[in-house]
Amino acid sequence: MNDILPDQTPVWQFLENRVKQVLGSYGYAEIRMPIVEQTDLFKRSIGEVTDIVEKEMYTFEDRNGDSLTLRPEGTASCVRACEEHGLTFNQVQRLWYMGPMFRHERPQKGRYRQFHQIGVETFGMQGPDIDAELIVMTARLWEQLGVDKSVTLHLNTLGSAQARARFRDDLVAYLSEHRDQLDSDSLRRLDTNPLRILDSKEPSTQDLLDSAPHFHDYIDDESREHFDRLKALLDQAGIGYEVNARLVRGLDYYGKTVFEWITDELGSQGTVCAGGRYDGLVEQLGGRATPAVGFAMGVERLILLLETLDAVPAEVHRQVDVYAMAMGDGAFDEMFGRVEALRQATGLRIQLHCGGGSFKSQMKKADRSGALVALILGEDELAQGVISVKQLRLSSEQKQVSLESLPQELLEIFKENQE
Ligand code: ATP
Ligand code: MG
């Protein structure tokens, strides 16, 4: 579990702001759920024999003896919240949330025990149009973040539950004949969650799968049409994709469309966004049958990607525009009131030097603050009713400005710097 330190938070805010702006432009609304839920909610939704429920959840008993779990993902909570408040009955929802998730995994680059997801869930739309909208929206986001050249879209359809069941039976029959060639994880999954074997990274298992029954031979007509229409909409939008018949996703609730955005830049933790359709989940959790599709992005992985690609604009790290310093008590008292008015008049981010000290030491702090401009008020300036304005970055120009024209003067400097 990581601390996110002040030199990192600007990057997080940059990412969060871009995401909010893009999601807002498609008409999605934010929902905020609690961080803990009844353990049973995750068992029933994610599935008893998934990695998450089998070995990754932070589960504890509270003082009433209820079993609670720190949420490992957001979809189950979001469905629970929507049902509890009647948000899916006879209406359509386009929702997003952002926040920490908890999984007891082996920590490594791009894999943590508290990590953050930005999730999107939609309810009440059964066609491939909304699947396409979600994917187009993520593509727009990659563009806005400057990572679009480094991610590829992997796409698959999981068909109907019946199609999956028929495929599962044949797959298990085939793999059972070749038990001796399966790695230990896959062998365990053969009895519990055989579709996950398609995910296996073991070369010998992958070889074995080359001659196994092929998933797409089992897909039902309705799912196939849904998938074809989705692909046509993506083609129309100019979004490239790779159909990957072995993309199955680790959670039980998916059917029909599944997708992942994957990057080669981060080593083995390369999935930055993953999602799919889960038409059965709302009913499975006790609501009315409601079609649903969504995705979740891993914020830490996106930030790693932004940093690897050097895609964070330099000004994101600048937290202060102006550093105000005063020499002597009289000057400080004057400056103290002045900066307050100046913040209001200009909207600039102005840091006031506190704690006194020599001109030299204050200047050092001004420089380290990242500000573009220093305001200097000494006894001389105070006597003359002016203030010294010193540029710290693009030039080292310094001039004296009357107190009245200071707001205008500052705004002009910042306008020039932006151009
Ligand atoms: P993986 O195969 O990498 O374990 P997953 O299938 O468990 O991923 P999802 O449950 O689909 O992942 O979560 C969506 C996204 O959240 C992932 O694609 C990834 O970007 C991010 N994510 C998942 N688990 C972690 C983690 N432990 N640390 C950081 N990010 C994570
Ligand atoms: Mg996982």
Side-chain angles (χ1 to χ4, degrees):
M1 296 185 182
N2 298 309
D3 295 308
I4 303 165
L5 298 177
D7 66 338
Q8 270 289 303
T9 46
V11 182
W12 283 70
Q13 290 168 353
F14 164 73
L15 179 106
E16 290 163 3
N17 291 339
R18 288 278 157 102
V19 171
K20 281 185 200 171
Q21 190 258 321
V22 170
L23 298 179
S25 74
Y26 287 74
Y28 285 64
E30 185 183 5
I31 181 169
R32 301 188 183 190
M33 297 88 65
I35 283 173
V36 291
E37 298 276 354
Q38 306 272 358
T39 303
D40 191 49
L41 174 72
F42 299 118
K43 287 194 176 165
R44 286 193 297 140
S45 57
I46 297 168
E48 295 267 8
V49 293
T50 55
D51 284 350
I52 292 180
V53 173
E54 270 185 341
K55 51 189 191 204
E56 295 175 359
M57 294 203 303
Y58 282 91
T59 297
F60 62 97
E61 254 184 34
D62 76 356
R63 287 175 182 277
N64 301 332
D66 293 330
S67 180
L68 302 183
T69 293
L70 296 181
R71 64 181 186 192
E73 53 113 52
T75 304
S77 307
C78 188
V79 169
R80 197 263 318 129
C82 286
E83 285 316 294
E84 198 170 316
H85 301 283
L87 300 189
T88 60
F89 182 64
N90 266 346
Q91 38 185 327
V92 157
Q93 294 290 349
R94 287 175 162 88
L95 303 173
W96 66 269
Y97 51 82
M98 168 168 355
M101 306 292 161
F102 303 84
R103 297 184 194 177
H104 194 273
E105 304 209 60
R106 194 169 63 77
Q108 52 196 290
K109 183 183 170 194
R111 194 176 287 289
Y112 313 102
R113 290 181 171 175
Q114 173 172 334
F115 62 100
H116 296 74
Q117 285 184 342
I118 297 172
V120 167
E121 317 290 351
T122 72
F123 299 99
M125 293 163 280
Q126 62 181 12
D129 44 5
I130 184 66
D131 303 14
E133 175 177 291
L134 289 183
I135 290 173
V136 168
M137 186 164 76
T138 48
R140 159 83 61 217
L141 184 65
W142 310 144
E143 205 182 277
Q144 288 293 307
L145 292 173
V147 302
D148 49 315
K149 304 279 183 299
S150 307
V151 289
T152 47
L153 175 61
H154 291 233
L155 196 62
N156 194 21
T157 177
L158 297 181
S160 65
Q162 293 84 335
R164 277 198 303 287
R166 274 187 287 122
F167 171 69
R168 190 184 297 122
D169 289 347
D170 288 2
L171 182 70
V172 169
Y174 168 83
L175 291 175
S176 300
E177 281 171 28
H178 301 87
R179 272 174 185 276
D180 48 323
Q181 293 168 55
L182 284 176
D183 59 279
S184 57
D185 260 351
S186 298
L187 207 52
R188 191 172 50 84
R189 285 178 171 147
L190 193 55
D191 300 317
T192 57
N193 198 352
L195 290 188
R196 287 294 319 263
I197 296 175
L198 301 184
D199 252 357
S200 168
K201 307 225 158 53
E202 286 294 322
S204 63
T205 304
Q206 282 292 334
D207 288 346
L208 194 57
L209 288 169
D210 285 339
S211 336
H214 197 262
F215 199 11
H216 283 186
D217 296 334
Y218 292 76
I219 304 297
D220 52 296
D221 289 345
E222 191 198 326
S223 298
R224 191 183 306 282
E225 277 162 31
H226 186 106
F227 196 48
D228 288 344
R229 175 82 180 123
L230 169 61
K231 287 186 291 183
L233 285 168
L234 294 179
D235 292 339
Q236 186 189 319
I239 291 171
Y241 51 84
E242 265 171 50
V243 175
N244 176 356
R246 292 194 185 158
L247 181 65
V248 289
R249 313 279 306 107
L251 300 82
D252 269 2
Y253 50 60
Y254 288 112
K256 286 188 177 156
T257 310
V258 287
F259 65 92
E260 290 191 2
W261 287 95
I262 300 177
T263 178
D264 289 334
E265 304 279 347
L266 300 180
S268 53
Q269 319 309 328
T271 302
V272 294
C273 174
R277 185 162 274 283
Y278 52 95
D279 292 340
L281 184 60
V282 175
E283 193 175 20
Q284 191 184 314
L285 291 178
R288 284 174 188 244
T290 305
V293 54
F295 64 79
M297 299 181 255
V299 179
E300 281 81 358
R301 290 185 197 178
L302 279 173
I303 284 176
L304 279 170
L305 182 59
L306 284 173
E307 284 170 346
T308 307
L309 298 175
D310 220 356
V312 183
E315 70 263 20
V316 165
H317 286 285
R318 191 158 56 78
Q319 298 284 291
V320 175
D321 298 317
V322 176
Y323 196 87
M325 39 203 267
M327 261 55 64
D329 285 349
F332 183 86
D333 290 357
E334 174 70 19
M335 192 62 120
F336 191 68
R338 286 279 159 193
V339 290
E340 197 50 39
L342 210 49
R343 287 186 191 108
Q344 284 191 26
T346 62
L348 292 169
R349 298 169 297 180
I350 305 176
Q351 195 163 86
L352 172 65
H353 180 91
C354 290
S358 68
F359 175 78
K360 208 172 139 201
S361 79
Q362 294 198 31
M363 227 19 231
K364 250 193 204 151
K365 299 241 165 65
D367 211 43
R368 229 179 283 153
S369 75
L372 293 188
V373 170
L375 297 182
I376 305 158
L377 190 67
E379 300 298 341
D380 286 352
E381 283 99 344
L382 188 62
Q384 293 168 44
V386 295
I387 201 156
S388 290
V389 177
K390 184 173 167 56
Q391 300 224 27
L392 297 172
R393 311 286 153 196
L394 292 188
S395 73
S396 54
E397 194 185 302
Q398 176 166 342
K399 61 176 168 183
Q400 294 195 332
V401 176
S402 73
L403 292 174
E404 297 73 52
S405 53
L406 186 56
Q408 198 53 37
E409 190 72 33
L410 278 179
L411 287 173
E412 255 152 45
I413 292 175
F414 278 87
K415 217 171 121 207
E416 276 165 26
N417 270 301
Q418 258 169 11
E419 280 159 5

